[in-house]
Amino acid sequence: MVAKKQEIIVSGMRPTGRLHLGHFFGVLKNWERLQKESRCYFFVADWHALTTEYANIKEIQGWLAEMVIDWLAAGINPEKAVLFVQSRVPEHAELHLLFSMITPLGWLERVPSYKELQQELTGKDLSTYGFLGYPLLQTADVAIYKATKVPVGQDQVAHIELSREVVRRFNFLYGELFPEPQSLLTQTPKLPGTDGRKMSKSYDNCVYLSDSEPEATKKLMNCITDPARIRRQDPGNPDVCTIFSYHKLSTHPDALKQIDADCRTAGIGCVDCKKILVKSMNESLALFRERRGDIAKKPKKVQEILDDGASSARGVARKTLEEANEAMGL
Ligand code: TRP
Ligand code: SF4
């Protein structure tokens, strides 16, 4: 399907909500670039979603479908990258089982996200076997394709470190089979929600990729700005302003510099500043929205893409699994 390329890139996304602006300008733009130069596997990590959402399964399928539409609209191209749903490639789970034999419990208990998320997500009982094994399943996800590079956010770097330790142990015990995956840190802009707090669906302060142009415009125009800037003649501070964080995503660097200066001298008012943002943001998303409208009308086509993706991923995954079985004497 794709010519031989040196790097093998694997990344997954959990279907646990709608994607927002941060995903578009961070992860998806990055994936779109990577698919041009490397062999890429991008998948919906539905099993990973179950590790925390096992008691809330009703919404996962909807999120999954919307997520894939967002990917395609963002230019993730099934002719360049392999796109699929994790649970459709059961080889991931089989390799996870093999890896579980050689992974000391202490390695998993030490992963920082394990305790942190347990403490953070207090409404959920995460003292499960599946949740502890989360980073090991992730290891299988990447190793099954012999990934060399794994684009992830900062919070996932420790998981890829564990992946390296596990494949090193496998290679030591049974012979060289897996390359050690490196994380490819995605600079995801730290994006506040419209109220200035952390963007989170539980705060209802997200600007979603699937928001229509009028919806997004309304949210942006109602955004909080520098809270200390009360009157028009007060100078503002772009460094603490939500609107300015959004400007950094879509506004041209020259214009950005001007806004920064004008804000600090009260040369521009917040309403005008927001209007500039709305214009640049809507321009940045115009192509995305156009494609999204088209794709959303063709669920059969999306299903076909995922079917093809799963079957081509399985071809590769099956072969690696055979090698792993053989290496382990099975
Ligand atoms: N754990 C990742 C996250 O929460 C999602 C994920 C699952 C993943 N498997 C992966 C990312 C493999 C990269 C590679 O964001
Ligand atoms: Fe924020 Fe712009 Fe207002 Fe400055 S002028 S506080 S950057 S909205």
Side-chain angles (χ1 to χ4, degrees):
M1 182 165 117
V2 181
K4 201 156 186 263
K5 294 167 180 174
Q6 56 214 16
E7 299 288 3
I8 298 177
I9 294 186
V10 177
S11 200
M13 217 188 260
R14 288 161 23 104
T16 53
R18 298 162 74 188
L19 300 191
H20 55 64
L21 293 182
H23 293 113
F24 180 75
F25 290 97
V27 185
L28 293 179
K29 288 244 181 220
N30 195 38
W31 285 9
E32 202 262 333
R33 193 174 47 75
L34 291 169
Q35 69 182 357
K36 293 181 190 148
E37 53 209 42
S38 304
R39 183 82 173 124
C40 287
Y41 297 86
F42 298 131
F43 66 95
V44 183
D46 56 345
W47 278 331
H48 278 93
L50 285 179
T51 62
T52 57
E53 306 300 315
Y54 61 85
N56 182 32
I57 55 169
K58 278 200 303 292
E59 287 182 284
I60 293 182
Q61 289 311 311
W63 283 327
L64 187 160
E66 291 295 310
M67 179 177 271
V68 176
I69 294 173
D70 283 339
W71 290 6
L72 295 169
I76 309 302
N77 183 343
E79 312 216 319
K80 295 189 180 139
V82 184
L83 309 182
F84 62 98
V85 175
Q86 183 185 32
S87 63
R88 296 280 307 279
V89 186
E91 287 79 5
H92 290 223
E94 235 178 301
L95 186 61
H96 175 220
L97 179 73
L98 295 183
F99 283 163
S100 76
M101 306 302 168
I102 63 166
T103 305
L105 273 182
W107 289 10
L108 293 169
E109 287 160 345
R110 267 202 309 274
V111 173
S113 60
Y114 179 59
K115 288 216 172 64
E116 278 165 23
L117 278 177
Q118 270 188 338
Q119 279 160 10
E120 217 173 283
L121 305 176
T122 42
K124 293 171 182 156
D125 180 0
L126 297 182
S127 53
T128 57
Y129 181 56
F131 186 66
L132 178 67
Y134 185 112
L136 194 62
L137 178 57
Q138 188 165 354
T139 301
D141 293 338
V142 301
I144 196 93
Y145 304 107
K146 300 189 177 173
T148 55
K149 290 275 190 312
V150 184
V152 285
Q154 183 61 51
D155 62 319
Q156 298 288 312
V157 170
H159 295 176
I160 306 307
E161 231 151 77
L162 175 98
S163 301
R164 277 202 299 281
E165 286 181 293
V166 172
V167 309
R168 214 177 287 144
R169 188 168 169 109
F170 185 102
N171 291 343
F172 171 77
L173 289 168
Y174 312 114
E176 283 294 319
L177 179 56
F178 299 107
E180 288 181 24
Q182 307 285 329
S183 40
L184 204 65
L185 196 60
T186 311
Q187 293 304 350
T188 316
K190 262 247 169 292
L191 213 56
T194 51
D195 57 359
R197 293 189 290 175
K198 186 176 162 226
M199 213 187 246
S200 158
K201 64 181 175 216
S202 46
Y203 293 154
D204 191 23
N205 64 358
C206 298
V207 185
Y208 293 110
L209 269 177
S210 46
D211 284 342
S212 67
E213 188 174 313
E215 275 170 321
T217 300
K218 192 167 153 216
K219 286 184 182 178
L220 294 176
M221 291 306 292
N222 288 333
C223 245
I224 190 164
T225 64
D226 171 2
R229 190 176 188 200
I230 295 160
R231 285 156 310 196
R232 167 70 182 82
Q233 63 270 31
D234 297 336
N237 179 5
D239 300 333
V240 301
C241 175
T242 300
I243 289 292
F244 197 73
S245 325
Y246 294 0
H247 266 302
K248 287 185 201 156
L249 304 174
S250 61
T251 301
H252 189 276
D254 295 340
L256 197 65
K257 248 194 187 152
Q258 190 64 47
I259 291 166
D260 186 286
D262 289 348
C263 173
R264 290 176 201 278
T265 54
I268 186 172
C270 292
V271 175
D272 287 332
C273 184
K274 285 176 170 177
K275 284 183 186 156
I276 300 173
L277 171 67
V278 163
K279 184 161 180 289
S280 78
M281 189 57 77
N282 284 336
E283 276 168 18
S284 297
L285 292 175
L287 180 59
F288 172 88
R289 288 192 175 125
E290 190 189 315
R291 288 195 194 126
R292 200 180 197 288
D294 287 344
I295 298 160
K297 279 185 241 144
K298 299 174 189 151
K300 271 222 185 89
K301 172 96 180 119
V302 176
Q303 204 44 60
E304 246 173 64
I305 290 170
L306 293 176
D307 289 345
D308 290 351
S311 96
S312 104
R314 281 198 86 173
V316 179
R318 181 54 31 212
K319 186 163 167 290
T320 308
L321 193 65
E322 276 163 17
E323 291 169 340
N325 276 328
E326 196 185 316
M328 290 181 85
L330 299 169

